[in-house]
Amino acid sequence: MELADLRHPELLTPTFTGMGLDRAQTLRKDPSLVERRLRSPASRAAFAGTEGVLLDRAGERVARRPLSPEWRQKEKAILLGLEDDVALFALDLDSLAAGDATALGQAGEVVGLRDAGARLSHAEGGLAAYMAALLNWHRKHRFCANCGAATEPIEAGSARRCECCGTVHFPRTDPVVIMRVENDGRLLLGHRTGWPAGRYSCLAGFVSPGESAEEAVLREVREESGIAVHDPVFVASQPWPFPASLMLGFAAYADDGVPAAVDGELDRVEWFTREQLHAAAAGRSASLKLPPPISIARFLIDRWLAGGGVAAS
Ligand SMILES: [Zn+2]
């Protein structure tokens, strides 16, 4: 792929963005309308589980299947939204009868979400990410964090309510800042402990309670490298449902300095020149491997290589 132009489609928006469904926020508040959609023969179901997302046989789209009678339960079927006025529900592959899951797998292919993101269009990859994020949350929030009693889905799955104390729980999304740090034509990248040799990526970290995203950028870079950065500028964000993150991509300038891995999360952190990064992006470097194209880290690096400094992020 030639990335010489910032208008290149793959540089405009990150993978896992571009989901085209109407999320049906009004319809899902009316139980009778949801029930009608559950009963409609036109409605469809899509499937994901801990192993991945069910794609159609060609592997080019998220599979859509008619809703079988046993799937038409509001405890099981989560309304994703409307697609050309056809309701699309999500079902957790891990909760289906073994025979159903096997039959679905034989009629399509269960693909890990990272592989699906690399293979699908942005719209279909965005749908896969949306479905995985929502099902991940439902799978892990069957009990109330306030009192420990069972919770049940409400509003066709956009939230859960405790049957005992009435607390309403909403899907959780964890903000993570990820930074393209630039100094004098170089970018600061780190190697995480346990990664393959030569694999480097942008520094990143969770936003802490009581902290802005911009403050998190400054703190994380200082903690992970000892480098001081200033004037962080937001570039783009990306849903990253592994299991529930929202990546907030920033660009920032650093004063000159010798980086050092100081907090134990990274074991190496270094400056890389534009020439080194160009060679790695083109697969011509034996010593440097960049993150995969589906990641916002790679999106930030590729945009910089194509000419987007902080001012033109
Ligand atoms: Zn409760």
Side-chain angles (χ1 to χ4, degrees):
M1 180 174 66
E2 183 55 56
L3 297 174
D5 189 335
L6 277 173
R7 291 166 299 180
H8 191 290
E10 297 207 12
L11 295 178
L12 293 176
T13 54
T15 300
F16 296 136
T17 64
M19 195 280 295
L21 265 61
D22 169 353
R23 292 177 188 246
Q25 300 292 14
T26 302
L27 183 154
R28 65 173 63 247
K29 289 180 169 42
D30 185 332
S32 65
L33 291 180
V34 173
E35 190 64 24
R36 193 183 304 168
R37 295 289 185 161
L38 274 172
R39 304 282 157 204
S40 169
S43 295
R44 290 290 179 267
F47 305 84
T50 49
E51 298 293 310
V53 180
L54 182 72
L55 304 187
D56 64 11
R57 197 180 289 278
E60 294 174 351
R61 298 186 81 219
V62 172
R64 279 91 158 161
R65 298 276 185 269
L67 274 165
S68 73
E70 58 269 30
W71 296 340
R72 292 175 186 160
Q73 304 166 20
K74 64 182 175 57
E75 296 78 17
K76 275 192 171 178
I78 301 303
L79 179 61
L80 292 170
L82 300 175
E83 186 173 44
D84 297 329
D85 203 39
V86 171
L88 184 62
F89 290 86
L91 284 133
D92 190 341
L93 279 172
D94 300 2
S95 74
L96 299 183
D100 284 349
T102 302
L104 285 166
Q106 288 171 345
E109 182 185 7
V110 177
V111 174
L113 188 56
R114 284 180 172 79
D115 289 342
R119 190 188 292 189
L120 300 173
S121 68
H122 272 207
E124 290 293 298
L127 173 60
Y130 169 35
M131 179 165 55
L134 201 51
L135 291 173
N136 285 346
W137 177 75
H138 279 285
R139 196 179 302 122
K140 293 181 176 174
H141 291 80
R142 294 180 297 120
F143 296 96
C144 178
N146 186 46
C147 77
T151 60
E152 62 172 13
I154 58 171
E155 297 183 0
S158 66
R160 298 183 74 91
R161 183 171 53 216
C162 175
E163 296 171 350
C164 180
C165 73
T167 300
V168 175
H169 301 275
F170 294 95
R172 174 175 163 170
T173 301
D174 301 327
V176 175
V177 288
I178 182 161
M179 297 70 77
R180 184 183 68 203
V181 176
E182 178 178 359
N183 167 263
D184 194 23
R186 307 175 298 172
L187 292 189
L188 184 68
L189 302 179
H191 176 270
R192 201 162 284 275
T193 306
W195 278 358
R199 164 82 183 276
Y200 281 78
S201 187
C202 297
L203 307 193
F206 286 100
V207 179
S208 292
E211 182 178 53
S212 72
E214 290 81 358
E215 289 169 329
V217 170
L218 272 54
R219 176 183 55 76
E220 283 287 343
V221 177
R222 187 175 64 247
E223 287 178 358
E224 293 194 339
S225 69
I227 296 292
V229 297
H230 50 84
D231 301 323
V233 175
F234 176 73
V235 179
S237 63
Q238 179 190 42
W240 193 247
F242 301 101
S245 292
L246 175 66
M247 308 300 290
L248 304 172
F250 279 84
Y253 276 118
D255 298 327
D256 201 3
V258 179
V262 287
D263 73 350
E265 286 188 37
L266 303 176
D267 56 14
R268 298 180 73 87
V269 55
E270 300 177 30
W271 294 111
F272 290 91
T273 65
R274 186 174 289 273
E275 290 70 30
Q276 287 174 301
L277 294 166
H278 263 302
R284 288 187 279 102
S285 173
S287 57
L288 174 60
K289 296 182 184 69
L290 294 179
I294 66 163
S295 66
I296 194 169
R298 182 61 177 271
F299 177 85
L300 294 170
I301 294 168
D302 284 345
R303 279 187 67 88
W304 184 77
L305 288 174
V310 171
S313 295

